[in-house]
């Protein structure tokens, strides 16, 4: 029997959906999980576990720091089991904002991931799928690696993803790498030194103090842009980085060029560092002459932020 | 000095000394064909797909388990077992081999310093063959993630002699009481420390509260420098007598829990120098040992040398 809704009910539903879509009302993280047999044949194995704040250390055995660095709010974990006792684990992380969720998604991304049409962005790996949508990062893992559960993983992720109303926006900083004539790949959005050290280690504490950053590959070369609170802080951290690079035995041949400097690593790679307003641009794998056209484009793009 | 010995070279050399070698393998408990190297190596690396036998070979290259476990000794094992995905935990064949060697050496007690779940052992294809050995392995039942302090199983330290950062900790009593401490890590990626291996595995003997302190107590959240120093400081409480690191198959990103990209090297690395073993595993991971703060600080603290090339490293390819 068709239910006839009143005008008031329709308005309430419309307003609620609109608020969800613009992020004014938080989805209950528990509600995002598939229910028993929502995916036919799969039911919740045990209890659902929820973790908030620093309690994440009791959820992730050793890997909580990176989530906390990006900005972590809460996480939920649930194992699903089918009739032949095969399991799929779903983990949903609510991050502090959509950039944080995008960041942890990019941090975890690797070249082995194949794009999938789930959420706002998704990568499918051999036995798991990772998805970014709005303020959420989610991961569904097949715990039985002997069976190909690819389709089921996608279905689980899609069920969860569809319950998240908003898409989320990529950080504005990602636009900086829209470079004419260059094709960048493997973009990773950074919120601190743990993520940076996993992309490239400049030496402990060398590139620090930034509010956000971004890195990408340009073939074998790497681009970095770091954002500081203001021009002054940027200059302070730039001077600190220059001093630390000079002292670091991994690098040599430092030359000051205008406001920036270049140097080489012992493995023979060239590095260019240039401050620009409240940003520091670093290019790994190019001489200063090679880097100049890229830096010029990056500066134009940074002006648009 | 690193000496690589291929199976072919090994067979030739073994022939010279008249040892009985069949298809590059040895009979467990019989004449050790690896007596060629016995006692001469600081670090043994054995590459091959039979992890159980290769673990035994690695220890024989170091001089045999009897060199580390005297008859009647109480042995504490710290096995990084409490993860679920391939490449994140020590292959159980390696752990089974260690248990067998300790029993054969005449250990009076073998105690796992952390809880090892039955599922872990059952992942081994050799489980049915060797499950009888596991009844000899006691465990600290309360040291299970996320473990909490209790007076019976743990001991608190409010001061660690020589520590630079670690002000206090809570560790498993058995770790300090055992005669022989065998550290069995997997060398894999860790987001904060890049490598988690021999040195970082020591966080397995402390309570969750203590470990969270390693991460958060510096006053600066997520401080890798402080974390690395705390790891090294905790090692000052007790020396590792033997370390056997799993570098057979491990994640190179998204660690320590994974899932991540896997690399399969089929290598087992054994020795007494945790810093050197971590340096080797760091290179397997694709990083320079000098980039790993715990390795650098471990060397500074005198726990070993990251310049493993100065040691006598014997690598055997089976």
């Amino acid at each position: 029997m068709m239910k006839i809704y009143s005008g008031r009910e329709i308005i309430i539903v419309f307003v609620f959906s609109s608020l969800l879509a613009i992020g004014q009302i938080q989805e209950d993280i528990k509600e995002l999980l598939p229910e028993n047999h929502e995916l036919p044949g799969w039911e919740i194995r045990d209890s659902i576990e929820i973790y908030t704040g620093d309690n994440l250390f009791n959820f992730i055995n050793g890997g909580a720091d990176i989530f906390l660095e990006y900005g972590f709010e809460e996480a939920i974990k649930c194992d699903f089991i089918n009739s032949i006792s095969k399991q799929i684990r779903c983990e949903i992380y609510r991050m502090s904002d959509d950039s944080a969720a995008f960041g942890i998604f990019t941090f975890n991304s690797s070249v082995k991931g194949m794009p999938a049409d789930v959420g706002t962005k998704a990568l499918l790996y051999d036995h798991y799928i990772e998805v970014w949508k709005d303020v959420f990062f989610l991961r569904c893992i097949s715990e039985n690696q002997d069976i190909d559960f690819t389709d089921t993983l996608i279905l689980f992720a899609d069920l969860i993803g569809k319950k998240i109303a908003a898409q989320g926006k990529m950080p504005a900083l990602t636009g900086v790498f829209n470079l004419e004539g260059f094709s960048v790949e493997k973009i990773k959005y950074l919120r601190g030194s743990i993520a940076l050290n996993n992309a490239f280690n400049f030496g402990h504490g060398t590139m620090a103090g930034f509010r956000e950053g971004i890195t990408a590959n340009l073939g074998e070369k790497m681009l970095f842009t770091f954002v500081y609170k203001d021009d002054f802080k940027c200059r302070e951290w730039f001077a600190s980085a220059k001093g630390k690079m000079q002292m670091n035995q991994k690098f040599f041949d430092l030359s000051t060029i205008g406001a920036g400097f270049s140097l080489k690593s012992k493995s023979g790679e060239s590095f260019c560092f240039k401050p620009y307003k409240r940003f520091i641009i670093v290019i790994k794998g190019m001489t200063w002459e090679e880097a100049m056209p890229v830096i010029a484009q990056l500066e134009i793009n940074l002006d648009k932020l | 000095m690193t000496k690589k010995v291929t199976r072919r070279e090994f067979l030739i050399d073994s022939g010279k000394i008249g040892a009985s070698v069949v298809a590059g393998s040895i009979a467990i408990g019989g004449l050790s064909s690896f007596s060629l190297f016995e006692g001469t190596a600081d670090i043994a690396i054995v590459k091959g797909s039979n992890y159980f036998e290769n673990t035994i070979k690695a220890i024989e290259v170091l001089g045999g388990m009897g060199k580390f476990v005297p008859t009647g000794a109480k042995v504490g094992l710290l096995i990084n077992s409490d993860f679920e995905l391939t490449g994140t935990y020590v292959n159980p064949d390696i752990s089974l081999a260690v248990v067998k060697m300790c029993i054969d050496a005449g250990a009076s007690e073998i105690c796992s310093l952390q809880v090892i779940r039955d599922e872990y052992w059952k992942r081994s294809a050799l489980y049915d063959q060797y499950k009888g050995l596991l009844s000899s392995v006691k465990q600290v039942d309360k040291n299970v993630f996320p473990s909490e302090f209790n007076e019976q199983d743990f001991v608190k330290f409010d001061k660690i002699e020589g520590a630079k950062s670690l002000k206090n900790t809570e560790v498993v009593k058995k770790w300090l009481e055992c005669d022989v401490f065998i550290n069995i890590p997997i060398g894999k990626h860790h987001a904060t420390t890049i490598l988690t291996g021999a040195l970082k595995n020591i966080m397995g003997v402390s309570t969750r509260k203590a470990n969270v302190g390693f991460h958060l107590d510096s006053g600066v959240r997520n401080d890798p420098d402080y974390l690395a120093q705390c790891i090294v400081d905790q090692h000052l409480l007790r020396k590792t007598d033997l370390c056997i690191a799993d570098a057979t198959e491990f994640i190179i990103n998204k660690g320590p829990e994974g899932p991540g990209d896997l690399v399969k090297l089929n290598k087992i690395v054994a020795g007494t120098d945790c810093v050197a073993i971590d340096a080797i595993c760091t290179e397997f991971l694709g990083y320079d040992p000098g980039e790993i703060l715990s390795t650098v600080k471990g060397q500074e603290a005198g726990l070993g040398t990251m310049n493993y090339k100065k040691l006598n490293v014997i690598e055997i390819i089976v």
Side-chain angles (χ1 to χ4, degrees):
Chain A
M1 188 180 75
M2 183 186 284
K3 184 179 176 184
I4 299 178
Y5 293 94
S6 69
R8 190 177 166 191
E9 282 174 318
I10 290 168
I11 288 168
I12 289 169
V13 169
F14 174 76
V15 169
F16 184 77
S17 304
S18 305
L19 287 172
L20 263 181
I22 61 171
Q24 297 297 304
I25 292 178
Q26 283 196 344
E27 284 106 339
D28 182 343
I29 198 164
K30 291 195 294 294
E31 300 297 322
L32 298 179
L33 276 177
E35 293 172 11
N36 271 330
H37 297 288
E38 189 172 345
L39 198 64
W42 290 88
E43 60 183 31
I44 293 168
R45 184 192 175 195
D46 294 317
S47 55
I48 295 166
E49 296 172 35
I50 300 180
Y51 301 84
T52 58
D54 286 351
N55 200 22
L56 187 64
F57 283 104
N58 292 329
F59 173 40
I60 303 179
N61 187 358
D65 290 330
I66 187 65
F67 282 89
L68 294 167
E69 178 175 281
Y70 273 106
F72 167 77
E73 297 281 328
E74 61 178 339
I76 191 165
K77 177 175 76 172
C78 184
D79 289 336
F80 290 85
I81 192 163
N82 70 1
S83 58
I84 53 167
S85 298
K86 300 300 178 190
Q87 282 191 66
I88 285 180
R89 168 170 294 179
C90 294
E91 299 171 358
I92 307 172
Y93 300 84
R94 186 201 301 277
M95 306 299 287
S96 54
D97 53 67
D98 46 3
S99 291
F102 173 77
I104 198 76
F105 174 78
T106 61
F107 174 83
N108 281 298
S109 64
S110 91
V111 289
K112 293 195 175 175
M114 299 294 295
D117 188 19
V118 180
T120 308
K121 275 186 182 290
L123 289 171
L124 180 66
Y125 300 84
D126 274 353
H127 303 289
Y128 63 100
I129 185 168
E130 292 179 337
V131 181
W132 163 56
K133 191 170 184 189
D134 191 27
V135 298
F136 295 98
F137 168 69
L138 62 103
R139 181 188 278 154
C140 300
I141 310 162
S142 162
E143 298 191 347
N144 306 91
Q145 302 190 353
D146 49 332
I147 296 178
D148 183 2
F149 276 118
T150 302
D151 296 334
T152 314
L153 289 170
I154 293 171
L155 286 170
F156 263 107
D158 201 36
L159 270 179
I160 299 167
K162 285 195 166 124
K163 293 177 184 178
I164 302 166
Q167 293 295 318
K169 283 185 185 167
M170 281 166 55
L173 195 56
T174 56
V176 168
F177 286 159
N178 290 328
L179 302 171
E180 209 177 300
F182 297 97
S183 176
V184 300
E185 54 184 3
K186 301 181 196 169
I187 287 181
K188 293 197 190 280
Y189 175 73
L190 318 170
R191 281 268 174 95
S193 59
I194 298 174
L196 174 61
N197 285 344
N198 279 267
F200 184 77
N201 189 342
F202 288 95
H204 180 65
T206 299
M207 298 306 302
F210 58 90
R211 292 189 144 191
E212 56 179 342
I214 193 153
T215 173
N217 283 43
L218 195 61
E220 294 296 304
K221 303 160 180 69
M222 284 185 85
L223 312 178
F224 301 83
T225 301
F226 302 98
V227 183
Y228 292 83
K229 183 184 170 196
D230 52 41
D231 296 19
F232 181 75
K233 280 282 170 204
C234 179
R235 297 282 163 169
E236 261 187 354
W237 282 108
F238 186 79
S240 163
K242 187 175 177 181
K244 284 182 172 166
M245 296 294 283
Q246 211 158 9
M247 299 296 289
N248 190 329
Q249 293 181 352
K250 273 171 60 181
F251 301 98
F252 68 103
D253 207 12
L254 188 144
S255 305
T256 299
I257 306 166
F261 66 91
S262 70
L263 78 175
K264 283 184 179 167
S265 70
K266 278 190 174 169
S267 57
E269 274 186 307
S270 298
F271 288 76
C272 304
F273 287 70
K274 188 170 186 296
Y276 179 70
K277 297 181 179 174
R278 63 190 177 98
F279 310 102
I280 294 177
I281 296 166
V282 181
I283 300 187
K284 169 179 169 280
M286 288 187 192
T287 63
W288 193 265
E289 289 71 29
E290 290 166 336
M292 278 312 291
V294 181
I295 291 174
Q297 279 200 57
L298 288 171
E299 288 178 352
I300 290 167
N301 290 345
L302 286 169
D303 281 337
K304 294 175 191 166
L305 289 179
Chain B
M1 181 183 77
T2 305
K3 182 180 181 183
K4 285 194 180 185
V5 185
T6 64
R7 178 178 146 184
R8 180 176 162 74
E9 286 169 327
F10 174 73
L11 288 168
I12 292 167
D13 285 351
S14 299
K16 282 178 189 166
I17 59 166
S20 169
V21 182
V22 180
S25 64
I26 56 169
I28 296 163
L31 173 67
S32 168
S33 305
F34 290 84
S35 58
L36 181 65
F37 314 108
E38 195 170 291
T40 63
D42 298 310
I43 304 273
I45 305 173
V46 181
K47 181 178 181 181
S49 55
N50 187 330
Y51 304 152
F52 181 89
E53 289 200 5
N54 290 349
T55 304
I56 293 170
K57 285 171 188 170
I59 300 306
E60 287 185 346
V61 169
L62 295 175
M65 190 57 96
K67 180 177 168 184
F68 304 98
V69 179
T71 305
K74 294 182 177 179
V75 178
L77 302 179
L78 182 61
I79 303 169
N80 193 341
S81 71
D82 200 19
F83 289 90
E84 293 172 5
L85 302 171
T86 303
T88 63
Y89 56 82
V90 173
N91 188 294
D93 290 3
I94 295 170
S95 307
L96 280 173
V98 175
V99 170
K100 183 178 188 316
M101 283 188 284
C102 289
I103 292 170
D104 289 347
S108 64
E109 179 183 293
I110 302 169
C111 180
S112 172
L113 303 173
Q114 275 186 314
V115 168
I116 301 181
R117 298 169 206 275
D118 287 344
E119 300 96 280
Y120 169 74
W121 296 116
K122 287 175 182 171
R123 289 173 194 152
S124 169
L126 303 172
Y127 174 73
D128 286 336
Q129 189 178 346
Y130 290 109
K131 63 185 174 190
L133 300 178
L134 299 176
S135 58
S136 309
V137 181
K138 295 179 181 174
Q139 57 184 9
V140 181
D141 289 333
K142 298 296 180 188
N143 190 20
V144 59
F145 178 83
S147 62
E148 288 182 17
F149 179 83
N150 70 67
E151 295 281 352
Q152 190 184 329
D153 297 309
F154 294 90
V155 58
K156 287 188 186 197
F157 284 88
D158 291 324
K159 185 176 180 354
I160 294 105
E161 202 62 47
K164 288 183 179 172
S165 294
L166 191 61
K167 294 167 195 72
N168 51 63
T169 189
E170 301 168 341
V171 298
V172 166
K173 273 184 189 170
K174 282 274 188 187
W175 175 47
L176 304 172
E177 291 169 356
C178 63
D179 301 317
V180 180
F181 168 50
I182 304 180
N183 186 359
I184 309 174
I186 175 170
K188 62 176 174 176
H189 176 260
H190 186 290
T192 311
T193 56
I194 304 298
L195 170 83
T196 173
L199 290 170
K200 191 171 181 308
N201 200 36
I202 212 64
M203 290 177 77
V205 297
S206 34
T207 61
R208 199 66 197 155
K209 182 185 166 200
N211 287 342
V212 171
F214 286 27
H215 287 268
L216 299 178
D217 282 357
S218 78
V220 180
R221 291 181 70 85
N222 306 324
D223 181 351
D225 191 87
Y226 183 81
L227 171 62
Q229 189 61 57
C230 287
I231 289 165
V232 167
D233 288 348
Q234 186 149 292
H235 276 271
L236 300 177
L237 289 172
R238 157 105 217 205
K239 185 179 173 292
T240 296
D241 299 301
L242 176 63
C243 179
I244 302 159
D246 179 358
T248 57
E249 187 172 22
F250 50 88
I251 52 169
I252 56 166
N253 55 14
K254 307 188 197 187
E257 208 172 42
D261 296 346
L262 286 166
V263 163
K264 193 168 190 172
L265 293 184
N266 283 341
K267 291 189 178 186
I268 292 157
V269 186
T272 56
D273 186 331
C274 290
V275 179
I277 288 171
D278 272 0
I280 291 167
C281 291
T282 299
E283 290 184 356
F284 292 164
L285 207 59
Y287 291 86
D288 180 332
E291 293 181 75
I292 310 301
L293 288 169
S294 57
T295 308
V296 173
K297 289 173 185 296
Q299 178 171 279
E300 285 169 3
L303 298 179
T305 177
M306 54 197 260
N307 191 359
Y308 67 87
K309 286 172 185 165
K310 283 190 174 172
L311 302 175
N312 186 16
V313 179
I314 292 181
E315 181 168 356
I316 293 170
I317 301 164
V318 181

